[in-house]
Each structure stands twice: as C-alpha cells, then as structure tokens.
Amino acid sequence: MRRVKRCVRMVAAVAVLAGGVVSVAGSAAGPAVAEPVRPVPGLEWGACPAEGTATAAVREAGVPATECATLRVPLDHADPAGHAITLAVNRIRATKPRDGGRLGTLLVNPGGPGASGRSLAEHVARTLPRRVAERYDVIGFDPRGVGLSRPAMRCVDPEVYYAPPRPDAVPRDANDEQALLGRAATYAERCGSLWAWLLPHMTTEAVARDLDVLRAALGEERISYLGYSYGTYIGAVYATLFPHRVDRLVMDSAVDPGGVWYQTNLAQNLAFDRRHRDFLAWTARNNRAYRLGTDARQTTFAWYAMRSRLRENPAGGVVGPSELDDMFTVGGYTDRVWPELAGAWSAYVRRGDARPMLAAYERHGKQDAEDENGYAVYLSVQCTDAAWPRDWTAWRADMTRQHRRAPFMTWPNAWYNAPCAFWPARAGTPVAIKGSSDLPPILILQSRGDAATPYEGALGMRERFPTARMVVDEGGNHGVSLVGNACVDRHLTAYLADGTVPARGATCAAVPAPKPAARMATGRARGHDRRTEPRQG
C-alpha cells in the first residue's frame, strides 16, 4: 500500500532484555498459548521529549497532559530472554477512576506500515466526545523501527534519494525501466547491509506480539484498540493471536486480509485510479473556478498532458511527473485537498504560475527523513510478511496490463514496492486471520469509494470475523471516523461507550463534496497538511 513516510541514520543497537516478556509457544503463526514466564515490568511515565502542535492542542482542549514512556520488547519473540528493542509510547490518561466509570485502555494506530501512533493518540483523546474520552487511557506507540522507537530504521540519505525531480515512474523504454529497477535494488541492498539483524523480525506478527507486551506492561487483562488502514491488519492479527485479550476492536478502513501484500497493491491501483477520476470529474463540475475542462474527458486529457510536459520541464525546476504523482496521490486519500490541488494545477496551466504548485509540493509531496524512516519500515514489514514475485518479468506483465486500465497509480505504486523483488530478508507466512468465538462484537468503519483500502477488501475482513458489524460511509475518503462525519462518529462513540454495534447494513451519508477555494493562494492554504495531522497509511 503506497504511502510516504521517513529516515535519517542508524542510531541504536539492541540491548539484553532484563525484564520478563510474553512467552511464545507452539506455532509461530498460531495463538499464544502461554502466559508471561515472569511479570512484565510496568512503564515509567514522565514528561515527553518535546511538545509538538498536537500536544499543545490536547492541552488547549482541557484534557490531561500527554505522558511518555519507553517499553522494552524482544527482538525475537521466540527468544524472549534475548536481545531487546525499545518502543516509544505515550498516554493521555482517563479522568474517571477505575471504580468510577473508567472503561480501560484504548490503543490506537494510524497504519502504514511505518507510521507513528503518538500524534494519533492525542488526536483521538482531543476529538472523542468528552464523556467517552474521560473513561479511557488513550495510548499511542511507535511500532518497532518507527520514529522515537529504537532503533529507528534508516536506509539512505533522504536528501539524495528524494532530490527532485526524480525519474519519471512511468518508464517509456527499457533504459528507463532498468534505471528504476536499479534504484529499487540499491535501496533493498542498503537496507540489508545496515539492518540484516533486524529485518527478519520486522513483521506484523511481531508488532502484534509487541502489542501484547504493552498490554501486560499497562497492567490490563484486556485492551481496546482503534486502528486505521494497515492498523486494522495489526488489530486483526492481534485478535487472531490473542482473542481473550480483546475488549473492543474498531477497524477504520480495513485491509483485505486475503491479499497480503502483492495482490492488495494491485487492487489498490484500480481503486486509486477510480478515485482520481472522481477528482477529475469534480474539477470539471467546477470549471468556472479552474477552467481545465467542462467534462471528465477534457480534465483527464489536461491532467495527463500536464504530467507529460513536466517530464521535460519540471515546474519551478522541482515538480516533475513523480513529484506530481506524490502530490495528487494525497487527493486519493481525502477530498479535502481537492480545491488546493485543482487550484495549483489551474494556476500552472492557465497562468504559468508555478508558485501554488511548489507550495502544494512542499505540503503534500516533499519527502524528508521522517518519510524515509517510514518507507524503510513499510518495506521491511510488507516484504517480510509474505512472499512477493522475485521474477521481474511477472511484475512487468502485471503492471503493463494494469497500466492500460489504471494509469494514475500502477507504475508509481510498482516502483514504490519494487525493492520487495530484491529484499534481503526471507519472506514469511502471514498469520491466518480468523475470528474466534471468544471475541466480542467488532466494529468496522469503511467508505465505499476508499482508494487505499478498497471496499471489497473490507468485506473480506468482515467475513473473517463473524462477530463484526460494518458501517459504510457512502463517500470515498480514507479514514472516516473523527474527521467530521457525525453519523460515523455516533456509531464509534456508542460502541466505545457500551459496546453497542449497529444493525446489519448500516450506512452513513458521505460528507458534502468540497467547494472550490475562494481564491487560489500562492502560499500555504489552510486545510489538510500531511505534516501536522495524524498519518494514516
């Protein structure tokens, strides 16, 4: 699943585990059958390393200050007394006491793989209705390899690797293809040379087992969990391995558990192309503002013509076709950015003004050390969770065929994932996702037109969990709760408050489509900014 995330350099090595952790017995992909061999040490909470914008907003909302801690977990859960790594954790505490209405602990994850969950915890604590938030300790964490967890993965120099304009992701000939293939192979080789000891342990199963170590360290018999995007897959693996540890489980924008991961990406290509066509049709409906075409056929021609010209003449010397792809991919996740993207496109094409395009690139396309860290973790998990084709001719055949149907995402997504064809760690077997009779009711929230996690895959997730109920948002955005749809939020709130699940076939109307911006600013417009909002993969 294509996303943008982060890196700098190798920082820390593993330490010898001093405390107890969960013992793993039996099949590596089967449910845990043993309790901790010795008590898991609790977490030592204290002040967070630095106060960001999210933390400040939490305090402004009148909720408790964010606390931070680190948790030691086994590098290899099959060897719990061996080397350890550390996870960064944060908490916004419940204000209700345990004997006065407190419901427990709500862990949150925004997806990825490779996304930090700490800012999402603050967003959830700030955005949930107070009568619900006050009853939960909301816990965020950086999964292994991510952000403030140690070690934090870094494979290349981001200033060099992401220097714009990058090669066009759509190859025109064999030379283009070989250059892009070499770039993918080099990235895989660099990760292998730096992280050979870590890569075999970068799996979703390992993350789920880390989650249970965190549960024990929090002193909870059971936990509640809210996961977005890939975070739903973490939740599904956890519920499969530890069904008796689940209190409430929410999956927002659910991954297809049957397509991990090559097939999931092929499905994503088609869904992103549909969503991009939605954007082009919206632009046509607002032609009075943007003057890019009166119907989708005209705006489609105009967009791809612009992309082609940028190959030879990057906007401002910076935004070439690949940078353009990155920017407009954000529009596949949320229509909130459509006015900004259409405005930048119109200003560039109609007036020759590259400033809005460059401003949009700074907000939505420019990638930095944080993005490279997330990319390194993304590949480490996806390439190791399950086998990918090792024969590039299979990739070429699939992408050539699919590009004819879905030109927006097919080749950019292929190259994003192409290091998996050369990945130095051996791929494993994914956990067989299956609901248990021990599980409580589960809530799935899903938009019908979701590009990143297509609706059909969410149906597959629901089928794996007989106790699951789904609420369908009739729009197309990715991540539908706590972002403004009051109907969706009512279902989420009722479920977290007392376990109420919706009737079968529940739906919510989409939020209204965005309106064209009042003016096309040359600087940064207000609205969606991937750098300041919780990231959802």
Side-chain angles (χ1 to χ4, degrees):
M1 292 162 52
R2 188 169 185 259
R3 59 166 294 105
V4 197
K5 282 244 38 111
R6 98 177 181 161
C7 167
V8 190
R9 251 196 125 190
M10 182 162 42
V11 203
V14 290
V16 176
L17 184 65
V21 292
V22 174
S23 174
V24 178
S27 167
V33 297
E35 294 303 304
V37 294
R38 53 191 183 276
V40 176
L43 296 167
E44 295 184 6
W45 297 101
C48 295
E51 183 176 271
T53 55
T55 300
V58 165
R59 292 183 179 178
E60 289 171 7
V63 300
T66 305
E67 303 169 290
C68 289
T70 58
L71 173 70
R72 292 157 69 84
V73 298
L75 170 66
D76 181 356
H77 283 277
D79 182 18
H83 288 90
I85 56 179
T86 63
L87 307 183
V89 184
N90 69 348
R91 173 177 72 176
I92 300 90
R93 300 187 68 173
T95 55
K96 292 289 186 181
R98 287 183 178 270
D99 59 354
R102 181 181 179 274
L103 290 172
T105 293
L106 176 65
L107 276 75
V108 300
N109 181 275
S116 166
R118 291 175 294 108
S119 62
L120 178 62
E122 296 178 318
H123 173 76
V124 169
R126 182 174 74 244
T127 311
L128 275 175
R130 187 83 344 248
R131 61 186 175 83
V132 176
E134 68 185 4
R135 302 174 72 187
Y136 282 99
D137 287 349
V138 182
I139 305 291
F141 66 101
D142 287 355
R144 52 176 58 201
V146 175
L148 294 182
S149 292
R150 293 293 180 263
M153 291 191 69
R154 299 162 175 113
C155 294
V156 299
D157 180 348
E159 292 188 4
V160 175
Y161 189 76
Y162 294 124
R166 306 192 310 276
D168 186 351
V170 180
R172 292 187 177 180
D173 53 35
N175 289 335
D176 284 353
E177 182 178 329
Q178 286 303 310
L180 291 161
L181 205 57
R183 180 179 170 91
T186 298
Y187 193 93
E189 186 276 330
R190 285 289 297 159
C191 289
S193 66
L194 290 171
W195 302 106
W197 58 272
L198 180 60
L199 293 184
H201 309 291
M202 291 295 294
T203 64
T204 304
E205 181 180 346
V207 174
R209 295 190 183 278
D210 291 345
L211 206 60
D212 203 58
V213 178
L214 177 55
R215 175 203 58 76
L218 291 166
E220 299 284 5
E221 287 295 318
R222 297 191 300 167
I223 55 172
S224 295
Y225 179 87
L226 167 60
Y228 293 82
S229 195
Y230 165 75
T232 67
Y233 187 63
I234 297 173
V237 172
Y238 185 81
T240 298
L241 297 176
F242 305 100
H244 56 297
R245 298 301 191 187
V246 176
D247 188 3
R248 288 167 193 159
L249 173 58
V250 184
M251 302 183 189
D252 186 328
S253 306
V255 165
D256 180 0
V260 178
W261 287 112
Y262 185 74
Q263 292 300 323
T264 297
N265 276 277
L266 292 179
Q268 193 183 45
N269 295 341
L270 299 175
F272 262 100
D273 201 82
R274 287 195 298 268
R275 193 60 176 155
H276 186 60
R277 293 198 301 270
D278 289 345
F279 162 70
L280 295 173
W282 175 88
T283 303
R285 289 195 300 273
N286 291 285
N287 188 52
R288 290 184 62 184
Y290 302 117
R291 301 172 62 209
L292 292 165
T294 58
D295 58 33
R297 182 184 60 82
Q298 292 179 354
T299 53
T300 298
F301 176 83
W303 195 88
Y304 284 101
M306 173 183 65
R307 188 187 186 284
S308 180
R309 290 195 300 274
L310 289 174
R311 180 181 173 107
E312 305 303 327
N313 297 292
V318 171
V319 177
S322 290
E323 289 72 27
L324 188 79
D325 293 340
D326 289 345
M327 292 159 50
F328 280 78
T329 293
V330 177
Y333 285 92
T334 173
D335 60 13
R336 291 171 57 194
V337 301
W338 287 4
E340 180 186 2
L341 295 177
W345 171 19
S346 177
Y348 183 68
V349 170
R350 303 292 305 180
R351 304 198 306 270
D353 184 358
R355 290 174 296 172
M357 185 77 77
L358 294 174
Y361 166 73
E362 287 288 329
R363 291 187 68 184
H364 307 301
K366 187 175 183 179
Q367 298 175 61
D368 56 17
E370 182 181 356
D371 292 292
E372 202 275 333
N373 168 241
Y375 184 47
V377 173
Y378 168 90
L379 290 172
S380 298
V381 173
Q382 295 232 332
C383 301
T384 310
D385 261 355
W388 291 66
R390 288 284 181 166
D391 182 357
W392 184 252
T393 59
W395 292 66
R396 182 190 298 119
D398 285 340
M399 304 313 154
T400 300
R401 179 176 58 254
Q402 198 172 66
H403 180 74
R404 298 189 189 104
R405 295 178 57 195
F408 175 67
M409 177 65 83
T410 296
W411 275 114
N413 201 19
W415 296 117
Y416 193 82
N417 290 284
C420 289
F422 308 97
W423 203 247
R426 182 179 178 180
T429 301
V431 172
I433 303 299
K434 185 178 181 181
S436 162
S437 59
D438 295 331
L439 284 168
I442 291 169
L443 179 63
I444 299 175
L445 307 172
Q446 179 73 32
S447 78
R448 198 177 296 278
D450 193 334
T453 50
Y455 173 73
E456 296 77 10
L459 295 179
M461 182 69 86
R462 186 181 65 181
E463 290 173 3
R464 303 292 181 101
F465 291 94
T467 64
R469 294 289 181 87
M470 181 186 290
V471 177
V472 177
D473 176 322
E474 296 293 355
N477 287 340
H478 180 66
V480 295
S481 65
L482 304 181
V483 289
N485 189 318
C487 172
V488 171
D489 290 349
R490 281 195 299 271
H491 286 292
L492 173 66
T493 299
Y495 177 72
L496 290 178
D498 57 23
T500 299
V501 292
R504 296 186 186 279
T507 62
C508 287
V511 295
K515 296 181 179 180
R519 63 186 182 89
M520 292 179 279
T522 58
R524 294 192 174 194
R526 296 184 65 183
H528 179 91
D529 189 333
R530 73 178 182 86
R531 297 180 181 279
T532 59
E533 289 195 351
R535 299 179 180 210
Q536 299 169 7

